[in-house]
Amino acid sequence: MVKAKSALITGITGQDGSYLAEFLLTKNYTVHGLIRRSSSFNTERIDHLYQDPHAHDPRLILHYGDLNDPSSLRRILDQTQPDEIYNLGAQSHVRVSFDMPLYTCDTDGLGTVRLLEAVRDFESYTRRRIRFYQASSSEMYGKVVETPQKETTPFYPRSPYACAKVFSHWITVNYRESYGLHASNGILFNHESPRRGETFVTRKITRAVGRIHHGLQKKVFLGNLEAKRDWGFAGDYVQAMWLMLQQDEADDYVVATGKTYSVRQFLEEAFTAAGLNWQDHVEIDPRYFRPAEVDLLLGDPAKAREKLGWEPTVGFKELVRMMVEHDMELAAREKTLVDAGHQMPANCGHDQ
Ligand code: NAP
Ligand code: F7E
């Protein structure tokens, strides 16, 4: 009988980590997740994975650790002995990276080399091989030098986040070439879902649509509406991550839809889906502009299609509709609570 594989996911409590954990469980993996200690519960996106008929799924096991704490990484590798590692943990907000450049570079840049070093040592003393996935980003293309962007397009990062991701990308290539690690970079373009963090523009918009529709909010304050992004569905993109680690040779791949839309087009689509006119509800607030902007991202996923057999299944309109429907239901539940006298959290205005 073939032994079931095991995987370690950093960033398992995030959007992608939750979809990837779900996907790997359907593939019969044992999934280990690294989680940070938090003063409040932070496993909301993966809690449902415990709620199967067995009450607690022993194939999903969480371990306290941090990409900034090398000893925790080494200990978790020893304890879990994974076949595959998906390094998704990051301070992933571009705007916030301008406020916290050192922390972002430490976690998103040095965090990767801490993990790669732990893998290299683990491989040398156990003689076991680990396949490694690094969450690279289309943000690395920044002020783009060619369109569409592909694996060979030079990087021109425009934020501390993107600079840290460029470092992680190249250190992953370097460990592959220097030590023969099976280490791959997925250069993923923006991908969204109903589990997207609420401070990213798509979710900020669909949350606002739901809340405005139910009378819980009147306005949404946004920054640059002209930026264009190649937006796909996170559920599709985690499958590309897995496919990369199933290849005999490690390599780097662009994962994108090959279509681009502006924030303004996203707004139009989302508000129209709820029968609302966005011009009545959107105000521009300079606080949401960035010191340096990424104007246009458009990926060419030809290599992923040809070598991995990967295709996106959810298009732009379907993605917007999926998020709006989810957030309309969420706002309806909030409305019931408000009507019953509960106060909604204001999040202290931290909606970057
Ligand atoms: P996300 O929702 O922001 O999740 C980030 C995850 O990283 C969370 O689980 C977070 O834990 C964890 N984390 C943060 N700092 C950490 C640290 N010091 N040590 C360990 N874990 C830490 O991000 P996502 O959208 O799922 O993205 C996943 C990865 O792909 C990230 O590396 C991101 O930069 C990259 N990426 C994302 C996109 C996209 O469009 N979504 C595109 C390209 C690349 P807490 O829950 O405790 O905060
Ligand atoms: O911004 C504009 C903003 O924060 C998209 C991360 O997952 O994808 C993500 O980074 C665009 C930008 O995502 C608001 O200026 C306007 O041009 O949703 P975002 P991002 O910066 O593209 C990449 C691939 C990653 O790797 C990252 O981890 O929307 N925008 N008004 C706004 N953005 C935000 N957040 N909030 C606004 O009010």
Side-chain angles (χ1 to χ4, degrees):
M1 205 173 72
V2 186
K3 186 179 156 286
K5 285 189 192 171
S6 71
L8 170 66
I9 304 175
T10 73
I12 195 167
T13 55
Q15 170 186 255
D16 292 6
S18 69
Y19 281 108
L20 180 63
E22 237 166 44
F23 177 72
L24 294 177
L25 288 171
T26 68
K27 293 267 173 209
N28 210 27
Y29 277 62
T30 299
V31 176
H32 296 278
L34 179 149
I35 58 162
R36 301 193 289 172
R37 194 269 160 182
S38 167
S39 67
S40 50
F41 288 116
N42 64 350
T43 55
E44 193 186 339
R45 293 188 179 100
I46 49 172
D47 283 342
H48 64 286
L49 297 175
Y50 287 107
Q51 292 165 357
D52 70 359
H54 310 291
H56 173 86
D57 188 339
R59 289 184 301 121
L60 174 64
I61 303 151
L62 302 181
H63 307 262
Y64 279 112
D66 197 302
L67 284 163
N68 299 331
D69 176 355
S71 68
S72 69
L73 302 177
R74 287 168 185 277
R75 192 163 46 247
I76 292 170
L77 283 201
D78 286 343
Q79 283 167 356
T80 61
Q81 313 235 329
D83 299 297
E84 297 170 6
I85 295 182
Y86 296 85
N87 185 28
L88 312 185
Q91 189 302 90
S92 75
H93 202 285
V94 174
R95 174 69 191 81
V96 172
S97 79
F98 288 98
D99 300 330
M100 301 175 70
L102 294 172
Y103 175 77
T104 304
C105 290
D106 196 5
T107 305
D108 301 11
L110 290 179
T112 307
V113 75
R114 286 186 194 105
L115 192 51
L116 283 165
E117 273 293 275
V119 171
R120 181 160 80 99
D121 289 348
F122 177 88
E123 287 200 346
S124 76
Y125 66 74
T126 62
R127 306 266 157 222
R128 286 172 54 111
R129 300 290 317 270
I130 294 179
R131 294 187 174 196
F132 184 88
Y133 173 85
Q134 171 57 23
S136 279
S137 165
S138 54
E139 279 295 301
M140 300 187 305
Y141 297 119
K143 192 171 177 185
V144 297
V145 302
E146 75 175 332
T147 297
Q149 296 86 48
K150 37 188 186 278
E151 291 79 4
T152 50
T153 303
F155 300 139
Y156 191 148
R158 294 271 280 174
S159 63
Y161 168 80
C163 292
K165 285 289 183 180
V166 170
F167 170 80
S168 281
H169 181 94
W170 282 115
I171 200 76
T172 299
V173 172
N174 184 259
Y175 273 56
R176 180 166 79 216
E177 294 177 354
S178 304
Y179 308 117
L181 254 58
H182 191 294
S184 297
N185 285 294
I187 309 173
L188 271 51
F189 282 61
N190 297 53
H191 45 280
E192 319 293 312
S193 73
R195 294 185 205 164
R196 183 57 142 154
E198 296 188 22
T199 61
F200 297 96
V201 78
T202 55
R203 189 79 199 289
K204 187 170 164 183
I205 292 170
T206 60
R207 278 294 270 145
V209 165
R211 290 172 57 82
I212 290 167
H213 177 85
H214 286 283
L216 295 169
Q217 152 180 350
K218 286 196 169 63
K219 298 272 181 204
V220 58
F221 296 88
L222 296 170
N224 177 17
L225 305 188
E226 308 316 323
K228 291 182 142 189
R229 291 290 183 274
D230 180 331
W231 276 299
F233 171 52
D236 284 342
Y237 285 40
V238 300
Q239 299 198 19
M241 298 175 185
W242 176 77
L243 284 167
M244 284 176 220
L245 298 204
Q246 309 318 305
Q247 306 307 304
D248 290 339
E249 301 292 329
D251 205 344
D252 308 321
Y253 298 88
V254 160
V255 179
T257 68
K259 298 205 169 62
T260 191
Y261 297 88
S262 65
V263 173
R264 185 183 295 272
Q265 284 172 300
F266 193 100
L267 264 177
E268 257 161 19
E269 195 68 33
F271 275 77
T272 306
L276 295 165
N277 182 1
W278 70 269
Q279 281 94 343
D280 297 337
H281 302 283
V282 174
E283 285 193 18
I284 302 301
D285 186 335
R287 165 167 115 87
Y288 299 112
F289 285 90
R290 293 160 184 198
E293 178 61 287
V294 171
D295 296 319
L296 164 72
L297 292 175
L298 172 62
D300 177 356
K303 181 174 171 184
R305 190 168 51 236
E306 281 152 27
K307 299 215 163 152
L308 305 176
W310 178 86
E311 292 273 5
T313 67
V314 178
F316 177 71
K317 282 175 188 275
E318 206 181 337
L319 176 66
V320 179
R321 210 172 314 119
M322 176 201 299
M323 293 176 70
V324 168
E325 273 170 23
H326 175 275
D327 285 339
M328 292 281 263
E329 282 171 28
L330 184 55
R333 289 199 295 276
E334 286 176 343
K335 175 84 166 69
T336 313
L337 288 174
V338 169
D339 289 346
H342 292 271
Q343 283 228 312
M344 281 293 114
N347 295 324
C348 302
H350 285 290
D351 62 345
Q352 288 302 319

